[in-house]
Amino acid sequence: MFTLASVVAIFYLFSVAFAFPVIPLKVPPGDANKILCQLPIVSRILCPLSARAALTRPTVFGTATGAEDPSGAFRFPVKYASSTRWAPSTVVTSWNLPNGFTNASSLPLACPQPDVDSSAYSEDCLSMVLYVPPSLTLVSNAPTLVWIHGGSFIIGSATGPGLDGSKLAIATNSIVAVVQYRLGALGFMAPSGKTNLAVQDLVNALQFLKKAVPAFGGSASKITLAGQSSGANMIRALLAVPSASSLFTSAILQSDPMNFGFLSPTTQSVMQNFFTGEINCSATDSACLNALSLDTILDAQSDLFGSAADLDPAAGKNQPIRPVLDGSLITSPLDSTRPFPTQTKPLLITTVSEEAAFAIYSSFPDPLPEEAFEPICDATFGEPRTSQIVSSPLYSPIPSVNGDVDARSQLQTLGTDYLWKCSGWTFARNWVGHGGKAYVGQFVVGSTYPGNEAVPFCTQPGIVCHQDDIKIVFGTVENPTPEQAALTTEIQKRYKAFLTSGNPNVPGTATWSPATSSNIPSLLLGGSGVAPVGACVPSFWGSGVQYDYQFFNE
């Protein structure tokens, strides 16, 4: 790669060879670079753009227009794909701001979702926001991190709390793209029976980025997916999409509820029939379908969400609308119910220490006697899984300092293990056992995510609830403690290394050892050492008790 120094030398040689007059550069090196960057042929390729110049970029789609983010990066909102209601999306052919906006400072409207003012969302929502560090030049060959938001596939957006990618982009010297995709029934419940529209949306987003990022100093061959909760679940779906494999090189899955396998076509069909009945339009009546109000669609979606587990227990109660193992787009379950395919991509797989705490302590705001543990387990797991759980010393009562037992503590540990931690370890074992590489970690320092403060347990010192890792990663914690600031610095350094090399180890930090098919050294992020194994062994979760994806899909 050319450097400023080599360009100086070449320019000097050309000047001598062609008898151009040369004026010796008797200026300090830093000022010499500034002078050199005034040369048009040099500045366009090797020099960071000024703020004013950086707000427009020529791309293969046309001129991109952006704005300066308050945190320092250049921000480019863009519509990446188009679609009509319940039809597959297609990649755009020209660069346009989202939602017909003309001001590049405007951020995209969210996709339609419940409990949000209708002025904040639009069906025309297939947009993303690019955050570009000012330091990048056209030959930076920088990596891109594509963030896929969570929200149980029914809520969330690219502009959710803490998702300003500016600080993360600058710290990792990468382009950060925060992406939206169709949610809920509009993304997964097309009356025609066409499944996984939302998954295809993200395939299109990656196709768009592969063409677009070189104009911002990015490499088309260094794209990493990252996401949290259902966003990580969506990444797991993309890992099972053969046509998407060439579009990204690595992935970061944060708090993926891996106990939820992909929906089977049979379960999807049952849910689809219920939803179509709720909207009272036949699958072929396009006039009726297009005339439906978003309120009607969202109401029917809510009815489906609440009824799904009764329609088919395999759907579950917490995330029933999700990707479908359709056999055409998604071709493998990537779990232990079928032979695991050969893998090559490196993964980071992380959870937080109290993943299930928000759900448990919000459902049961008052302490529970030990006698409540078994019936609550039975309502969730049924027999014979409950008897195996309650008879195991791994989930024995945990007395408090005054000797009292609160069954919520057991339920929290149990929920964290089966839904997130242990199922993630099983996935990692399968991944590395079939050729891939995986680094597994657990956040033991976090920052209370908006909404989690409603559960007092989640605000206690040392407690890290679901979503509390997001602001740490993005560097958007307000007034961080020394521990939070230190972990943000560390995790951003590790992500920078992973984006470039597929390895999160950097000098000055603890060694993060990769998982093997038999050993999961889960690094404590914000602590020291590795997480205890506990129940996360194949002979208990995944075999003796079984995850839901095994129990319902035998």
Side-chain angles (χ1 to χ4, degrees):
M1 184 194 298
F2 287 116
T3 64
L4 289 180
S6 63
V7 172
V8 170
I10 293 169
F11 180 76
Y12 215 89
L13 287 172
F14 271 46
S15 299
V16 172
F18 292 99
F20 293 158
V22 175
I23 301 174
L25 295 175
K26 296 181 179 180
V27 292
D31 292 338
N33 287 350
K34 293 178 183 178
I35 293 172
L36 189 61
C37 283
Q38 293 176 11
L39 299 174
I41 193 171
V42 175
S43 65
R44 290 208 313 266
I45 299 173
L46 295 178
C47 299
L49 294 174
S50 67
R52 185 172 65 180
L55 299 182
T56 60
R57 297 283 180 93
T59 78
V60 295
F61 297 101
T63 300
T65 57
E68 289 185 73
D69 188 85
S71 294
F74 302 131
R75 189 178 69 207
F76 294 86
V78 62
K79 176 179 177 178
Y80 68 82
S82 299
S83 70
T84 56
R85 181 177 289 179
W86 284 313
S89 59
T90 56
V91 181
V92 298
T93 57
S94 60
W95 189 283
N96 289 295
L97 294 173
N99 308 112
F101 293 147
T102 57
N103 185 343
S105 296
S106 300
L107 293 171
L109 297 175
C111 291
Q113 54 194 276
D115 303 321
V116 172
D117 189 276
S118 60
S119 64
Y121 61 65
S122 167
E123 277 193 78
D124 179 22
C125 63
L126 299 184
S127 302
M128 67 174 71
V129 183
L130 301 181
Y131 296 87
V132 182
S135 60
L136 295 191
T137 70
L138 288 181
V139 293
S140 290
N141 205 34
T144 296
L145 183 149
V146 183
W147 181 265
I148 302 174
H149 70 79
S152 298
F153 292 112
I154 60 170
I155 61 173
S157 73
T159 57
L163 298 187
D164 184 320
S166 184
K167 291 181 179 179
L168 180 59
I170 292 170
T172 56
N173 201 41
S174 68
I175 297 167
V176 173
V178 187
V179 184
Q180 297 184 164
Y181 51 95
R182 281 178 285 185
L183 299 171
L186 291 167
F188 294 95
M189 289 290 157
S192 66
K194 178 69 176 176
T195 60
N196 294 321
L197 294 175
V199 180
Q200 185 63 57
D201 291 343
L202 288 175
V203 173
N204 288 336
L206 294 174
Q207 291 174 337
F208 173 87
L209 282 167
K210 203 169 184 69
K211 295 179 180 179
V213 292
F216 299 90
S219 168
S221 61
K222 294 180 183 177
I223 294 177
T224 295
L225 302 183
Q228 188 270 346
S229 195
S230 61
N233 190 332
M234 184 67 94
I235 293 171
R236 182 157 42 95
L238 290 167
L239 289 167
V241 174
S243 61
S245 184
S246 64
L247 301 176
F248 63 103
T249 54
S250 55
I252 302 171
L253 292 82
Q254 297 177 209
S255 298
D256 181 358
M258 292 193 186
N259 171 74
F260 297 145
F262 305 137
L263 286 181
S264 71
T266 301
T267 302
Q268 171 73 11
S269 179
V270 170
M271 294 172 61
Q272 183 66 69
N273 290 338
F274 178 90
F275 176 77
T276 303
E278 289 290 295
I279 59 175
N280 199 28
C281 288
S282 73
T284 58
D285 192 343
S286 58
C288 179
L289 295 172
N290 290 330
L292 291 170
S293 69
L294 288 175
D295 283 343
T296 297
I297 293 171
L298 292 174
D299 286 344
Q301 173 186 302
S302 295
D303 290 342
L304 172 63
F305 198 97
S307 304
D310 294 326
L311 296 170
D312 187 332
K317 297 180 179 180
N318 301 307
Q319 195 172 279
I321 301 173
R322 59 184 189 267
V324 183
L325 181 59
D326 57 4
S328 53
L329 185 67
I330 299 176
T331 60
S332 168
L334 289 185
D335 60 28
S336 302
T337 60
R338 296 188 191 177
F340 208 90
T342 300
Q343 302 298 333
T344 58
K345 298 184 191 296
L347 303 182
L348 288 184
I349 302 170
T350 64
T351 56
V352 303
S353 53
E354 285 83 24
E355 291 278 12
F358 181 88
I360 295 300
Y361 284 82
S362 60
S363 298
F364 305 105
D366 298 319
L368 290 172
E370 174 59 21
E371 293 75 19
F373 181 64
E374 183 169 354
I376 292 172
C377 285
D378 189 58
T380 302
F381 298 101
E383 288 289 346
R385 293 191 294 172
T386 292
S387 61
Q388 292 173 305
I389 291 168
V390 298
S391 64
S392 170
L394 295 167
Y395 297 108
S396 297
I398 306 172
S400 65
V401 291
N402 60 9
D404 295 334
V405 170
D406 184 349
R408 293 180 301 177
S409 179
Q410 293 163 267
L411 292 168
Q412 193 288 127
T413 301
L414 177 66
T416 293
D417 281 355
Y418 106 94
L419 196 58
W420 287 280
K421 179 186 172 185
C422 297
S423 49
W425 286 27
T426 296
F427 178 80
R429 291 188 191 98
N430 278 328
W431 191 264
V432 301
H434 292 84
K437 181 170 282 190
Y439 297 86
V440 179
Q442 178 178 302
F443 283 83
V444 293
V445 169
S447 173
T448 302
Y449 198 73
N452 281 357
E453 72 279 354
V455 175
F457 181 84
C458 287
T459 64
Q460 293 182 19
I463 300 299
V464 187
C465 290
H466 191 65
Q467 302 184 99
D468 286 353
D469 52 338
I470 294 175
K471 289 190 174 185
I472 295 290
V473 168
F474 274 80
T476 50
V477 180
E478 302 86 355
N479 303 312
T481 65
E483 293 77 16
Q484 290 171 330
L487 181 55
T488 290
T489 298
E490 176 188 339
I491 205 71
Q492 290 182 342
K493 285 181 179 179
R494 290 189 183 278
Y495 278 24
K496 179 179 180 179
F498 185 77
L499 297 179
T500 303
S501 67
N503 186 324
N505 285 290
V506 290
T509 61
T511 299
W512 195 341
S513 300
T516 71
S517 58
S518 60
N519 181 37
I520 307 294
S522 179
L523 188 68
L524 295 178
L525 300 168
S528 60
V530 297
V533 175
C536 296
V537 291
S539 61
F540 190 79
W541 284 111
S543 178
V545 175
Q546 295 189 329
Y547 305 111
D548 279 0
Y549 67 73
Q550 293 170 299
F551 184 78
F552 290 110
N553 297 321
E554 290 180 319

